[in-house]
Amino acid sequence: ADGELVQYHYGLKDLVTILFYIFIAIILHAVVQEYALDKINRRLHLSKVKHSKFNESGQLVAFHLTSVIWCLYVVVTEGYISNPRSLWENYPHVYLPFQVKFFYLCQLAYWLHALPELYFQKVRKEEIPRQLRCIALYLVHIAGAYLLNLTRLGLILLLLQYLAEFFFHMARLVYFTDENNEKLFNVWAVVFVVTRLFTLTLYILVIGFGLPRVENQALDPERGNFFSFLFNNILFRMSVLLLVCLFQASVMWRFIHFQLRRWREYWNEQSSRKRAAAGAKQQAKPLKRDSGYHENGVVKAENGTSPRTKKLKSP
């Protein structure tokens, strides 16, 4: 009927929908590769290692940019940003608007399509464990938020994560085209730190203050209430917050270590360039000639006599 709001729940039919969009994602992946990345690669003449990383970053830039715009549109139109209390109010959020459900299904389809793409793209064996770990982490978190009815919180976290990832892979693309241009890495560093702080604040707000105040605190899997009753226990709540803080601290430590190593390499490179320039400048200085003039390669004094000292003959 006119004005009736239709909402959706998850079920087994989602698997068929995800399978369909896996094929769509494979086609879109091939289109981006054929009409954009391959043409740029032919102009840049990159090595095999850089060629593989360039393709990876190029695909992820297109995906992250699309996801950031799409996710931002969803959270704004649904009012999750203007009303932060909606992230935990009326939990569990069993019934979803169409655009929220469709977004999650497409996200799952994309990261599942990345598994066969490892074979199609002929990814090097050394890179496969890292990419499998990344794909598994995204699938676990997205599917967990979808099945545990934490879709609103998951949308905000994905928005923050994809924003930082977009700047990182964009910086890599710029670096591959011009190795002296690392300014975008500094922008990514700032965005990464800001998104980590927002993520930690959001965890504390939802887990520490939001979910413990939910009216329905009883375990009720049929209604989708899986663990809100656990957050009523202050010991469990503090343990979860401690684990979250430790995880974010480990991420920040790895980030700081990476930045220090990058800056150390940068300053070593700059100092080596300065030493090379100083050595070339010193070699370019003109050699001092002896007083007098040259004639046929022989130095003669101004009065015509040879500047060499004459040996006295013994009598």
Side-chain angles (χ1 to χ4, degrees):
D2 294 338
E4 183 181 356
L5 181 62
V6 179
Q7 292 185 323
Y8 300 85
H9 188 42
Y10 58 78
L12 292 177
K13 293 182 180 179
D14 289 346
L15 298 177
V16 182
T17 308
I18 290 173
L19 180 62
F20 172 77
Y21 283 103
I22 285 175
F23 294 118
I24 298 297
I26 292 174
I27 294 171
L28 293 177
H29 190 115
V31 169
V32 173
Q33 185 69 40
E34 178 70 23
Y35 293 98
L37 298 179
D38 286 345
K39 292 183 178 180
I40 298 174
N41 274 319
R42 283 193 289 267
R43 294 182 180 180
L44 296 178
H45 303 289
L46 299 174
S47 62
K48 290 185 178 180
V49 177
K50 289 184 177 181
H51 179 82
S52 176
K53 292 182 178 180
F54 185 88
N55 288 336
E56 177 190 358
S57 293
Q59 293 287 347
L60 289 175
V61 161
F63 169 71
H64 288 317
L65 180 60
T66 305
S67 297
V68 165
I69 296 174
W70 189 2
C71 189
L72 184 62
Y73 174 78
V74 172
V75 297
V76 169
T77 54
E78 294 296 330
Y80 300 153
I81 293 181
S82 60
N83 183 20
R85 294 173 62 89
S86 62
L87 297 178
W88 62 82
E89 281 184 341
N90 301 321
Y91 178 84
H93 309 130
V94 179
Y95 298 105
L96 308 175
F98 170 76
Q99 59 180 354
V100 175
K101 180 181 176 67
F102 186 53
F103 177 81
Y104 270 93
L105 294 182
C106 289
Q107 292 295 313
L108 291 171
Y110 178 85
W111 290 110
L112 285 172
H113 112 280
L115 294 174
E117 284 294 343
L118 295 177
Y119 173 76
F120 296 148
Q121 294 291 321
K122 297 180 180 179
V123 178
R124 295 184 305 135
K125 292 182 179 180
E126 303 84 31
E127 293 290 324
I128 289 178
R130 178 185 63 83
Q131 295 200 23
L132 284 176
R133 186 167 59 250
C134 178
I135 294 169
L137 285 173
Y138 273 113
L139 286 174
V140 168
H141 284 81
I142 295 172
Y146 184 64
L147 297 175
L148 297 176
N149 302 315
L150 290 169
T151 50
R152 298 181 183 181
L153 177 62
L155 282 172
I156 306 296
L157 294 177
L158 277 177
L159 177 62
L160 295 172
Q161 175 67 18
Y162 284 164
L163 186 64
E165 288 291 309
F166 167 74
F167 279 100
F168 172 73
H169 289 288
M170 194 68 197
R172 281 218 305 183
L173 290 181
V174 174
Y175 175 76
F176 288 141
T177 56
D178 183 10
E179 293 186 355
N180 295 322
N181 190 352
E182 296 186 359
K183 294 180 180 179
L184 207 55
F185 277 110
N186 298 328
V187 177
W188 163 71
V190 175
V191 174
F192 182 86
V193 173
V194 172
T195 53
R196 291 303 101 190
L197 292 176
F198 271 104
T199 300
L200 185 59
T201 304
L202 195 62
Y203 272 120
I204 295 174
L205 182 64
V206 175
I207 296 175
F209 301 98
L211 289 177
R213 297 182 181 180
V214 174
E215 295 180 359
N216 184 13
Q217 294 288 349
L219 177 63
D220 192 357
E222 294 183 358
R223 293 187 177 182
N225 194 345
F226 294 101
F227 53 84
S228 67
F229 72 100
L230 294 174
F231 291 100
N232 200 23
N233 187 340
I234 187 170
L235 182 61
F236 178 81
R237 187 163 69 246
M238 296 304 296
S239 300
V240 172
L241 288 176
L242 180 61
L243 289 175
V244 169
C245 292
L246 289 176
F247 176 74
Q248 295 297 325
S250 67
V251 172
M252 286 300 300
W253 169 250
R254 292 180 60 187
F255 169 77
I256 293 171
H257 181 71
F258 168 76
Q259 290 295 327
L260 291 176
R261 185 180 63 187
R262 188 170 71 89
W263 287 338
R264 194 183 304 116
E265 292 175 354
Y266 173 77
W267 288 115
N268 290 337
E269 184 180 356
Q270 291 295 323
S271 60
S272 62
R273 287 181 180 180
K274 288 181 180 179
R275 286 196 299 267
K281 189 175 181 180
Q282 188 174 3
Q283 290 179 359
K285 287 183 178 180
L287 297 174
K288 287 185 177 181
R289 293 183 176 181
D290 297 332
S291 60
Y293 67 94
H294 290 71
E295 182 178 337
N296 295 329
V298 179
V299 180
K300 292 187 177 182
E302 294 181 356
N303 56 2
T305 60
S306 175
R308 297 180 181 177
T309 57
K310 293 183 179 180
K311 292 183 180 180
L312 296 176
K313 295 182 179 180
S314 58

